[in-house]
Amino acid sequence: MSDVPLVRLLSMAVTVALEELHTELHERGHGTLRPAHGYALNAVLNGRDTVSEMAPLLGMTKQGAAKLVQALIDEDYLAIDEAGGADARRKPLVLTARGHEAVQVSVDIQDRIEREWAELVGPRRMASTRAALERAVTHAAGGGYPPVRLGW
């Protein structure tokens, strides 16, 4: 498989990991969540708590982000923070108990996947791979982590 271009191999790794993650999320009661939903939940957790702040992180229009947020509200992962401040136009979002649970379950699954991959290739090789990817990604993004924009 050494003739597989790196970008394709990285895409395959993301596909394999996300499929495993979402299969297990489904088994644990979160079957409607998709990758973009997870990134939206993480955005809210990290202070990007409005549709306007979230849209660029998700690579979406504000209208697209609003639809995604509404789906998460409908599924009881997010709620509008009624005590959201003085500006009535700003509608900050908060994670519900179900949203917090989904994030924790996702983190646990991702940790397990990484541990299993480390067992397969060896912990030193996994740590080296992780460090190399972090350095390449942050360099390409000008020193920080770029937004994650998946097409599905």
Side-chain angles (χ1 to χ4, degrees):
M1 295 241 335
S2 62
D3 62 335
V4 175
L6 180 61
V7 171
R8 188 176 309 151
L9 187 59
L10 291 170
S11 294
M12 290 177 200
V14 169
T15 298
V16 167
L18 284 176
E19 285 177 359
E20 184 171 346
L21 170 66
H22 285 275
T23 295
E24 192 163 335
L25 279 169
H26 177 77
E27 291 168 358
R28 293 175 69 176
H30 301 285
T32 60
L33 291 179
R34 299 292 171 257
H37 296 141
Y39 295 121
L41 295 176
N42 277 301
V44 173
L45 267 179
N46 290 305
R48 303 288 176 93
D49 61 353
T50 66
V51 169
S52 295
E53 294 170 323
M54 189 183 300
L57 288 175
L58 301 175
M60 297 180 162
T61 64
K62 288 180 188 175
Q63 182 180 12
K67 282 181 71 174
L68 185 138
V69 162
Q70 188 58 55
L72 290 169
I73 290 171
D74 293 346
E75 294 285 332
D76 194 33
Y77 289 104
L78 289 177
I80 295 173
D81 184 359
E82 299 301 334
D87 188 348
R89 295 168 298 169
R90 188 176 189 280
K91 295 184 178 175
L93 302 161
V94 293
L95 267 69
T96 63
R98 180 171 167 78
H100 281 285
E101 176 196 346
V103 169
Q104 187 57 57
V105 168
S106 177
V107 167
D108 293 345
I109 296 166
Q110 290 174 67
D111 286 347
R112 181 189 48 75
I113 290 170
E114 188 167 340
R115 282 191 313 274
E116 288 175 1
W117 287 20
E119 288 174 17
L120 180 67
V121 302
R124 287 184 60 178
R125 184 180 269 171
M126 188 67 170
S128 176
T129 299
R130 173 182 265 287
L133 287 171
E134 286 178 355
R135 182 168 179 178
V137 166
T138 57
H139 173 77
Y145 288 106
V148 178
R149 295 185 181 113
L150 296 175
W152 67 93

